[in-house]
Amino acid sequence: SSELTQDPAVSVALGQTVRITCQGDSLRTYYASWYQQKPGQAPVLVIHAKKKRPSGIPDRFSGSSSGDTASLTITGAQAEDEADYFCNSRDSSGKVTFGGGTKLTVL
Amino acid sequence: QVQLVESGGGLVKSGGSLRLSCAASGLTFSDDYMSWIRQAPGKGLEWVSHIGSSGTYTNYADYVKGRFTISRDNAKNSLYLQMNSLRVEDTAVYYCARRSMSDCSDGTCYSYYFDYWGQGALVTVSS
């Protein structure tokens, strides 16, 4: 299956650490990327190839992967990190799947 | 500065057709794979299609295959999505995005990711 499963919602206290996960069989072979989307805006790439951070993305964002699960960790969450987060991967046919998204609330 | 600007969205009746365009600037368009990704109102992201740099290679999600056609004109730095036999469930914001690849070995790239996105074009299909 090429489905990717994410928790629908996660919350974190301001300044604390939060982990958002993405689970799917394709992640055993292919690499996850992560996107942040704020209301009314296009998604922004925050992590690609499991753990690579594009230029301009704060280093409090990090990625990791083990087995069929990829994780996005925000260390010291800020108010501006409140957003929807989506993962994606590819499958063996070259198609792409996105996870259902996780709504992050910063308390 | 990379810019991707979608156009051509609008309201269409079920069974109708629409053609989206995406004008690219600030990147070497003819070298890049490009994609369409959509997002229904209040829902998550859904990959639709991508096309290789020359236009020879295309790939489609099962839910649009046979109805949608992706194409490009490298001389015009433009990407297109022809949408036929539209359904109510195709209602969404359609984003144009550059698809990049990394971690490649023996002809397989293990990471597909979308590093530049347009602002999206709203397509509404009514019954």
Side-chain angles (χ1 to χ4, degrees):
Chain A
S1 168
S2 58
E3 291 183 359
L4 296 176
T5 301
Q6 297 182 239
D7 290 329
V10 170
S11 62
V12 61
L14 185 68
Q16 297 303 301
T17 297
V18 62
R19 176 180 292 179
I20 298 169
T21 61
C22 173
Q23 185 178 25
D25 287 343
S26 64
L27 298 179
R28 295 185 182 279
T29 303
Y30 302 105
Y31 299 175
S33 297
W34 291 92
Y35 306 84
Q36 177 193 70
Q37 187 180 35
K38 297 181 180 179
Q41 298 183 18
V44 172
L45 178 71
V46 294
I47 292 288
H48 67 97
K50 292 193 287 189
K51 57 183 180 181
K52 298 177 183 177
R53 195 173 53 248
S55 61
I57 301 302
D59 60 6
R60 64 179 179 272
F61 290 89
S62 63
S64 62
S65 186
S66 178
D68 68 350
T69 301
S71 300
L72 172 70
T73 300
I74 307 174
T75 304
Q78 302 300 302
E80 61 263 33
D81 299 335
E82 186 163 290
D84 293 327
Y85 291 86
F86 297 92
C87 61
N88 89 269
S89 181
R90 59 159 292 183
D91 67 15
S92 58
S93 68
K95 298 184 190 298
V96 170
T97 301
F98 284 92
T102 297
K103 183 178 182 61
L104 176 66
T105 300
V106 179
L107 304 172
Chain B
Q1 177 188 356
V2 175
Q3 274 200 312
L4 300 172
V5 180
E6 300 93 340
S7 61
L11 176 64
V12 62
K13 288 192 174 182
S14 179
S17 298
L18 211 56
R19 188 195 197 207
L20 300 180
S21 299
C22 171
S25 60
L27 44 71
T28 310
F29 184 76
S30 58
D31 288 347
D32 293 325
Y33 279 58
M34 298 296 296
S35 297
W36 289 100
I37 296 157
R38 70 185 185 184
Q39 187 170 35
K43 302 297 184 183
L45 300 172
E46 200 172 53
W47 172 75
V48 173
S49 180
H50 47 229
I51 186 168
S53 56
S54 68
T56 302
Y57 167 78
T58 59
N59 205 341
Y60 297 91
D62 290 345
Y63 34 82
V64 305
K65 194 167 186 178
R67 300 189 297 124
F68 290 12
T69 302
I70 190 171
S71 62
R72 64 192 297 159
D73 185 338
N74 287 344
K76 295 183 177 180
N77 282 359
S78 293
L79 176 72
Y80 306 103
L81 186 67
Q82 177 66 43
M83 303 183 292
N84 298 332
S85 302
L86 281 161
R87 305 167 180 167
V88 171
E89 54 265 35
D90 295 319
T91 294
V93 172
Y94 284 73
Y95 293 101
C96 160
R98 184 175 81 167
R99 194 202 84 179
S100 289
M101 301 175 284
S102 70
D103 298 83
C104 304
S105 174
D106 294 330
T108 298
C109 293
Y110 292 88
S111 177
Y112 284 3
Y113 58 98
F114 305 97
D115 49 1
Y116 294 106
W117 297 66
Q119 283 304 301
L122 177 61
V123 172
T124 303
V125 184
S126 67
S127 57

